[in-house]
Amino acid sequence: MRKIILMMSVSLDGYIEGPGRDIGWHRVDDELHRSLNAYLATMGGFLDGRVTHELMAGYWPTADADPAAAETVKEFAEIWREMPKTVYSRTLDRTDWNTTVVREVVPEEVRALKARPGGDLSLGGANLAASFMAHGLVDEFRIYVHPVLIGGGTPLFPVAGATVGLDLVESRTFGNGVVQLHYRRTPE
């Protein structure tokens, strides 16, 4: 069965974006981007909330058309366009770029999606991640901790009532100081 893997960049103080949705503090250099591209190319699909999807759809469909774009950017633009995407939204009626719109997180539907053949599913968006976690649907976490303190914004993990045990699968430090932490849910 495929896994749902939450992939998210976070500041050292736990925020995925600063005030005003600022992500200018992300330290994505060629080394990190190559690593992300290699991993994301193996996915079977992207699961995103509306805000994350609109952010991605606003840039990646034509990012590789810029002659000044880095090779890693061009490579990810192709990955993003070709990857099947599911966007969870109560307001979008339709979207382009190989995307299906789903209104709500229904655990049985998500489990059926996981049971389909193909690669694992990458989960993005803080609100969507909170909903998936509340239903126990996140199997693994790939968190990229950026060496910055931003002091406020949108937290990666909103305060929740349940404790979730995790086992460290891997950690990796990139040359720019970003640390990847890869955890799997502890079997119950």
Side-chain angles (χ1 to χ4, degrees):
M1 182 172 292
R2 326 198 260 188
K3 296 177 286 211
I4 293 178
I5 302 170
L6 174 61
M7 291 187 64
M8 196 73 70
S9 286
V10 63
S11 64
L12 184 59
D13 51 351
Y15 297 99
I16 62 163
E17 61 187 10
R21 301 200 182 279
D22 175 39
I23 58 170
W25 49 270
H26 284 194
R27 294 189 178 179
V28 180
D29 61 7
D30 278 344
E31 177 193 19
L32 178 55
H33 213 297
R34 278 192 308 275
S35 175
L36 291 167
N37 286 355
Y39 183 70
L40 289 170
T42 71
M43 294 283 107
F46 296 149
L47 310 174
D48 289 319
R50 179 192 55 80
V51 172
T52 300
H53 178 75
E54 288 180 339
L55 176 71
M56 301 296 278
Y59 179 72
W60 290 109
T62 59
D64 55 348
D66 179 356
E71 287 305 312
T72 53
V73 169
K74 292 177 182 179
E75 181 181 32
F76 184 71
E78 185 175 337
I79 292 167
W80 188 86
R81 279 193 308 268
E82 299 302 318
M83 188 67 62
K85 292 170 275 301
T86 303
V87 60
Y88 288 83
S89 173
R90 292 184 187 102
T91 57
L92 286 177
D93 289 322
R94 62 175 285 295
T95 186
D96 295 320
W97 308 110
N98 198 16
T99 305
T100 302
V101 177
V102 175
R103 294 284 174 226
E104 296 188 35
V105 176
V106 178
E108 296 77 25
E109 292 174 5
V110 175
R111 287 185 194 98
L113 182 62
K114 288 175 62 173
R116 291 183 191 162
D120 292 333
L121 303 166
S122 175
L123 176 64
N127 293 334
L128 184 61
S131 181
F132 270 63
M133 288 188 307
H135 292 294
L137 297 170
V138 179
D139 301 299
E140 295 185 9
F141 300 80
R142 289 178 75 97
I143 308 303
Y144 295 83
V145 182
H146 294 249
V148 296
L149 302 171
I150 62 173
T154 304
L156 173 56
F157 298 113
V159 177
T163 299
V164 177
L166 303 172
D167 295 323
L168 181 65
V169 175
E170 170 190 24
S171 64
R172 177 179 176 186
T173 302
F174 293 90
N176 63 5
V178 171
V179 177
Q180 173 202 311
L181 300 171
H182 179 188
Y183 291 97
R184 181 176 298 130
R185 286 177 64 104
T186 303
E188 298 177 0

